[in-house]
Amino acid sequence: MSDSDTIFALSSGAPPAALAVIRISGTQAGVVLRAMAGKLPAPRHASLRTLCDPESGGELDRALLLWFPGPASATGEDLAELHLHGGRAVVRAVERVLAAQPGVRLAEPGEFTRRAFQHGRIDLAEAEGLSDLLFAETEWQRQSAMALASGRFSRCVEGWREQVLMLSALVEAELDFSDEDDVASDSVRRLEQGAGSLMTEMDAALARPPAERLREGIRIVIAGPPNSGKSTLLNRLAERDAAIVSDIAGTTRDLIEVPVAFGGVPFLLTDTAGLREDSGDAIEAIGIERAAAAIARADLVLWLGAEGEGPLHPRLWEIDARLDLAERAAKRKPLLRLSARTGENIGALVDRLIALAADMLPPMGEAALNRRQAALITACRDALHALEDCGDLLIAAEHLRNARRSLDALLGHTHTEDMLDALFGRFCIGK
């Protein structure tokens, strides 16, 4: 397979459907469109045409065609869209004809987006945002992904890059006119001020909660001894029977993870084995070990056991989850009293979880940095920090070059093929 091949793929949902959209991108897109439709439609205007098999002349479908000459297209190449009737037989027939054309093949996952990146239609941060957008399941995730995919974050990074270039110009001027004391003094002052301002902006970006927490959800572990109502609470919050509820101690032996969304906020609920020290069952003991590990990774622990006996954790909420049982050993000062069985006060717990998200997730609509992006911004910030008290102008120039390289890598101006393969391999075929 070659990047010079013309590619095609179904870009809409799987048939049957009302419509099916097939995209074609590459140097042969126009040739293929002429062969099947007789002539090219006017650029960027929908045209109703009959599609035919170039070999047999048989009609394939009556479809709307769109033609986008490169480089002003989504991929930066000649691009065509076929808006077909969405039956399986129609889609298969058109795909079969396309695959038979010289130099034309089925696209690989993410190949349309990869070509858009390679032709400069989007940068790497926008591509990562588009990937997040495809996998977004909550409103919070969608808005954060849009901040990346729409280029808002990229424009911020480009602004940083322009400022670093200006600082580099100051250093070069200093090197060229180092015998002029007025230029030297003013340049050094402006260099320090500019680097300090940039570091402040980068520190603010790095202080935001990471994208991984937004993508995976806030991890909430429901913990307690056997028969404390953990599985019942999980099912109530998930609004389905995700865990088996039984009066038999040790029923839950492994972690049960359920992703949910409250108020547009992603959470990952985890039911755990009942914590006790006297288990004589080897499998249950493994479950207890896994429960302890899950608690260590949790962002929040809902403790349903005796008050004050929960595991050490920086964010542990004491929950009295059996308000419906009069004979229970009620907690004296729980955060909440509720009934996992009847649902009483469950809404209050959900409201508190949503409020917690405001401190643990990036503000809605702002880009959340993933590990790669955060590492590169940190590297850039460190290079700028190295300018402080730097007495050698040549070394200062090198620090600024390192800062610029980090920002270039952030937007994909420099990259590795392995990293690109990993990113675009997450996309579906046709995107």
Side-chain angles (χ1 to χ4, degrees):
M1 294 185 180
S2 169
D3 289 342
S4 63
D5 292 339
T6 294
I7 57 175
F8 73 90
L10 178 68
S11 294
S12 55
L19 292 174
V21 179
I22 290 181
R23 304 170 80 195
I24 310 166
S25 181
T27 57
Q28 296 299 304
V31 175
V32 170
L33 204 55
R34 284 193 194 93
M36 298 177 68
K39 64 177 182 179
L40 292 178
R44 296 171 182 80
H45 286 78
S47 179
L48 183 63
R49 300 286 179 83
T50 298
L51 296 178
C52 297
D53 184 341
E55 293 297 322
S56 67
E59 290 189 7
L60 297 169
D61 192 24
R62 186 81 166 153
L64 281 176
L65 309 185
L66 287 166
W67 169 241
F68 304 93
S73 70
T75 60
E77 304 176 315
D78 287 348
L79 178 72
E81 287 187 359
L82 313 180
H83 293 237
L84 313 168
H85 291 96
R88 290 190 180 94
V90 174
V91 173
R92 282 198 298 264
V94 173
E95 288 180 332
R96 184 173 61 251
V97 169
L98 289 172
Q101 305 308 302
V104 180
R105 62 170 172 83
L106 182 66
E108 296 178 339
E111 194 167 3
F112 285 94
T113 308
R114 183 166 186 157
R115 291 191 177 193
F117 166 71
Q118 290 171 332
H119 291 100
R121 300 299 294 173
I122 60 173
D123 60 41
L124 191 56
E126 290 170 323
E128 289 174 311
L130 184 55
S131 175
D132 290 343
L133 190 61
L134 293 175
F135 289 95
E137 295 183 355
T138 70
E139 180 63 14
W140 209 302
Q141 291 169 335
R142 184 192 68 80
Q143 291 199 26
S144 177
M146 282 298 299
L148 280 177
S150 66
R152 272 181 279 162
F153 175 68
S154 297
R155 289 189 288 274
C156 175
V157 175
E158 286 288 2
W160 292 343
R161 187 176 182 278
E162 287 297 321
Q163 292 180 65
V164 171
L165 284 171
M166 291 179 63
L167 296 180
S168 295
L170 285 175
V171 172
E172 294 300 328
E174 177 73 12
L175 289 169
D176 290 342
F177 303 102
S178 57
D179 57 333
E180 300 182 19
D181 292 339
D182 290 340
V183 174
S185 174
D186 183 61
S187 295
V188 169
R189 179 180 57 81
R190 292 170 63 188
L191 179 65
E192 292 176 348
Q193 289 178 344
S197 176
L198 275 171
M199 286 190 290
T200 299
E201 293 182 26
M202 292 178 184
D203 285 340
L206 291 169
R208 292 200 293 264
E212 286 73 22
R213 179 177 288 163
L214 179 60
R215 185 180 301 125
E216 298 166 5
I218 296 175
R219 292 180 172 271
I220 300 176
V221 169
I222 305 173
N227 289 339
S228 57
K230 301 182 299 298
S231 297
T232 303
L233 180 57
L234 176 82
N235 291 344
R236 175 63 63 178
L237 290 170
E239 296 184 340
R240 64 185 179 89
D241 291 336
I244 297 173
V245 176
S246 170
D247 292 334
I248 301 174
T251 298
T252 301
R253 297 188 171 205
D254 205 350
L255 304 180
I256 298 175
E257 295 185 335
V258 181
V260 297
F262 301 133
V265 182
F267 295 90
L268 183 65
L269 304 177
T270 303
D271 186 17
T272 58
L275 300 180
R276 58 177 174 174
E277 298 180 357
D278 58 347
S279 174
D281 187 309
I283 295 179
E284 184 185 5
I286 294 173
I288 292 172
E289 290 179 5
R290 291 182 178 180
I295 289 170
R297 297 191 304 268
D299 296 310
L300 168 69
V301 175
L302 303 181
W303 177 248
L304 273 57
E307 195 165 12
E309 295 184 6
L312 293 177
H313 192 277
R315 190 179 281 108
L316 182 144
W317 289 0
E318 294 276 2
I319 302 295
D320 186 344
R322 292 186 164 181
L323 186 58
D324 55 294
L325 297 180
E327 67 276 13
R328 75 189 188 283
K331 296 185 178 184
R332 290 179 297 117
K333 294 182 178 181
L335 180 71
L336 279 174
R337 300 186 194 276
L338 55 88
S339 171
R341 188 179 65 83
T342 67
E344 185 177 356
N345 281 347
I346 286 293
L349 175 58
V350 170
D351 288 343
R352 284 183 175 270
L353 293 176
I354 295 172
L356 174 69
D359 296 326
M360 300 188 68
L361 294 178
M364 186 175 286
E366 288 191 13
L369 303 180
N370 61 33
R371 291 187 184 92
R372 185 194 75 88
Q373 294 161 347
L376 288 169
I377 293 176
T378 299
C380 180
R381 191 230 182 267
D382 291 345
L384 294 172
H385 181 69
L387 293 172
E388 294 182 2
D389 301 323
C390 179
D392 191 314
L393 291 176
L394 289 174
I395 294 177
E398 182 61 25
H399 288 320
L400 288 169
R401 277 192 288 272
N402 288 335
R404 195 165 63 250
R405 288 190 194 103
S406 296
L407 296 178
D408 285 343
L410 187 60
L411 297 181
H413 300 326
T414 58
H415 54 78
T416 65
E417 288 301 310
D418 287 345
M419 184 269 291
L420 295 183
D421 289 343
L423 170 62
F424 293 111
R426 296 178 60 205
F427 287 70
C428 58
I429 293 174
K431 190 62 181 176

